[in-house]
Amino acid sequence: MKKVLGVMGMVCPFPLVEAKEAISGLSSGDELVIEFDCTQATETIPRWAAEEGHNVTNYEQVGDAAWTITVQKK
Amino acid sequence: MVQMIITGLLCGALLGFVMQRGRFCLTGGFRDMYLTKDNRMFYALLIAIAVQSVGVYTLVALEVIQPNTGTLPLFAIILGSFIFGIGIVLAGGCATGTWYRAGEGLIGSWIALAGYMLMSAIMKTGPLSPLNQNIQQSQLPSNSMADTLGINVWFLIALLLAVVGWIIYKEVTKPKVVIPTLKPKKQGLAHILFEKRWHPFVTAVLVGLIAILAWPLSSSTGRIAGLGITTPSANILQFLTTGDMAFINWGVFLVLGILVGSFVAAKASSEFRFRMPDVKTGLTSFTGGNLMGFGASLAGGCSIGNGLVMTALMTWQGWIALIFMILGTWTAVYFVFIRGRKEKNSNSTVQTSVTTA
C-alpha cells in the first residue's frame, strides 16, 4: 500500500512530526510518500528514516523548493 | 561608510550563505534536544563558540581588538532569554534563522521579522524603553567568568576545547548510518556549494570563522563588537522612521547581508520560492517575532549575540542566556508540539490520501 502525505507549506518540524505520525499507522512494507517544501526537512526526514531503519525508495527534488521522498516502513 | 557597507554586506552574505546551505538552525537544534533527543546542532553550536573563542582571544592577545564585556544585568538576562526562547519556537526560527529564511522566500519569516524589528525598536527607543531600562537596572559588577573565578581566560577556553574535542570524538566514532541523499545533478564546486549536504560540524567551524572575521571588520568601522542581530535589526526600523544616520552602523549591513547571502544560496540551489503561510502560521509568526524582540532586547542579545558571541567571550551573560533560551525553547516545545499535538489528535486527523500501489 502507498500513502501520500502532503505537507507542502508546513514549516519545520511539522513535516517530520506528521511523517512520524503517518508512518505509525502503516504496516511493514507499506510506503509513505512525503511531499514537502521546508528546506530543513531535506536534512531531517532522510536522517530520521535512516536512523529508524526505514528504506528510502525514492528521493528527488521536483521543483524550486519542492521535494518528494518515499519511505518504506521497515 | 563605503567600507562599512562593503565589509558588512560581505560578512553577512557569507554567514547567510553558510547558514542556508548548512541548515544551521539553532531553534531546531534546541527544540530537537528535547523533542527527538538529538543534540547534534547544540554540539555544532559549541564547536562554533570554541572556534570563535580561540580566534577572538588570539586577536585580543595581538591587541587587534579590545572587547568590553561590561556588567551583568542578571535578572534581565534570565527573563529576556527565556521569553526569547519561547518566541523563536513560535516564529519558526531564531533571529538569524528568521533573516535567512526570509532570504529563502518564506513570507512567514518576513512577518516574524517585522514583529521582531518592531518590538526591538519599541524596547530600545520606544515606549517600552523605560521598562527595559528598569529591569536591566539591577546589575552585578563583573560579567567576565575569568575575573570572577580569578583565573586566566585561556583556562576556560581550554576546558571548552576539551569538552568539544570529546564530543567530536564521540560523534565521529559512533556507528554510521547511511543517510539517503538526492541524486547529484551538479559537479565539482557547484555540487559542493549548491547541492551537497554539509555536515553540521563543518558548518559550525565556518560559522565560528565568520564570527571571528566579524570582530576586526566591525571594529575597524568603530563598532567594537562581533556578530550581532537584534540591535542592528532595530536600527533599520529606527533609521527608516527617523532618518537619523546615527542608527546606521556595520551591523545594519551585516543583517542585510544575511538576507542577500541566503537568497543567493537558495536561488542557486533551486531552493528559493515565495511561500505564503496560512493565517494561523502567520499570526503565530508575528507573535513569535514580537516575543523574540522583547526577549532579546531585555537580555541584550539573541541566540547569536549572547548564544554565540558572548559565550565565546567567556561571559556569564552568554552562558546564562544560552541556558535560559534553551529552557524557554523547551517550554514552548512542550506546549506547541507535545501538549498541542495531543489535543489536535483528539480533535481531528491528519490530512492524507491513501492509494493502493
Side-chain angles (χ1 to χ4, degrees), chain A residues 6 56-57 61:
Chain A
V56 171
T57 52
Q61 183 163 10

Side-chain angles (χ1 to χ4, degrees), chain B residues 148-230:
Chain B
T148 311
L149 300 171
I151 54 171
N152 190 303
V153 73
W154 286 97
F155 281 114
L156 294 170
I157 298 171
L159 181 68
L160 179 63
L161 286 176
V163 170
V164 164
W166 182 72
I167 287 170
I168 294 175
Y169 171 78
K170 292 291 275 184
E171 285 291 311
V172 172
T173 52
K174 252 189 196 170
K176 282 222 162 59
V177 282
V178 181
I179 297 164
T181 52
L182 292 162
K183 264 194 225 89
K185 292 174 185 163
K186 298 183 173 83
Q187 288 180 332
L189 194 62
H191 170 67
I192 295 169
L193 288 179
F194 302 115
E195 197 171 51
K196 194 180 182 301
R197 179 189 162 269
W198 292 15
H199 193 287
F201 293 178
V202 174
T203 309
V205 171
L206 294 174
V207 169
L209 292 174
I210 295 167
I212 298 171
L213 181 69
W215 279 95
L217 291 183
S218 177
S219 299
S220 71
T221 66
R223 177 183 172 274
I224 315 293
L227 295 177
I229 310 295
T230 307

Side-chain angles (χ1 to χ4, degrees), chain A residues 40-56:
Chain A
Q40 286 71 39
T42 59
E43 162 86 19
T44 55
I45 293 179
R47 162 168 289 278
W48 156 75
E51 283 176 350
E52 292 290 310
H54 302 308
N55 194 15
V56 171

Side-chain angles (χ1 to χ4, degrees), chain A residues 2 18 37 43 61 64-65, chain B residues 197 270 273 275 350 355:
Chain A
K2 199 174 235 181
E18 298 284 353
D37 64 1
E43 162 86 19
Q61 183 163 10
D64 279 350
Chain B
R197 179 189 162 269
S270 307
R273 185 159 51 85
R275 280 159 278 180
V350 183
T355 53

Side-chain angles (χ1 to χ4, degrees), chain B residues 338-353:
Chain B
I338 297 178
R339 246 185 65 163
R341 298 295 301 182
K342 276 184 198 147
E343 275 167 25
K344 190 192 164 203
N345 288 347
S346 59
N347 292 333
S348 66
T349 47
V350 183
Q351 283 184 340
T352 49
S353 57

